[in-house]
Each structure stands twice: as C-alpha cells, then as structure tokens.
Amino acid sequence: MKNEKLLNATKYVGASTLLIGIAIFLYGFFVSDYSYITGIGIGTVMGAVFIFLMGVFLVATEEMIDNTKKKEKMYSKF
C-alpha cells in the first residue's frame, strides 16, 4: 500500500516534469532564437527520467527489505 502511493507520486511528478520539459525543448528548438532554452528543455527531460528511475529504485529497495523481513520471521519460527 505504501509502495503504491510512492510509485503513483513518482509517476505523476515524473510525467508532469517530462511534459514540461518536452514543451520547453520544442519551444526552444522551433520558436525561440535563443539556443539555451533548448538546453533547459533537455535538462528538464533528463531530470524527469532521473526522478522516475529514483522513485522506482526506492520502491524496489523497500519491497526487497520487506520481503527479507518476512523471510526472517518465517525462518525464526523453526
């Protein structure tokens, strides 16, 4: 339950940041005469991917820790 909340939050934050980054990139590439806006868009897209990957990593790590604790409880009964 707790992992689903973190994964959903990561998904929504990552998706919104990705859409903002794509919009900034497209504006900088096609509309604006300033090339640094394109770089800001690329950086925002990379940040969105990083946020999503870190969130998935945290959820996977927490799941592995929970599974290890369950196994320790199971083996401590014997």
Side-chain angles (χ1 to χ4, degrees):
M1 184 71 167
K2 187 170 68 170
N3 293 340
E4 291 177 21
K5 289 181 182 180
L6 180 62
L7 190 59
N8 282 334
T10 303
K11 181 173 55 173
Y12 291 129
V13 169
S16 62
T17 309
L18 182 67
L19 290 175
I20 291 169
I22 289 171
I24 293 172
F25 173 76
L26 291 175
Y27 175 75
F29 194 73
F30 292 116
V31 177
S32 179
D33 291 333
Y34 303 110
S35 62
Y36 64 86
I37 296 177
T38 305
I40 292 172
I42 292 171
T44 307
V45 169
M46 289 174 52
V49 171
F50 181 72
I51 288 170
F52 180 73
L53 288 177
M54 287 305 296
V56 170
F57 176 75
L58 288 173
V59 168
T61 303
E62 193 169 343
E63 192 72 30
M64 291 299 293
I65 290 171
D66 289 343
N67 287 342
T68 303
K69 288 181 182 177
K70 287 178 186 177
K71 286 182 184 178
E72 288 175 359
K73 285 182 182 178
M74 184 176 71
Y75 287 127
S76 67
K77 292 179 183 178
F78 294 114

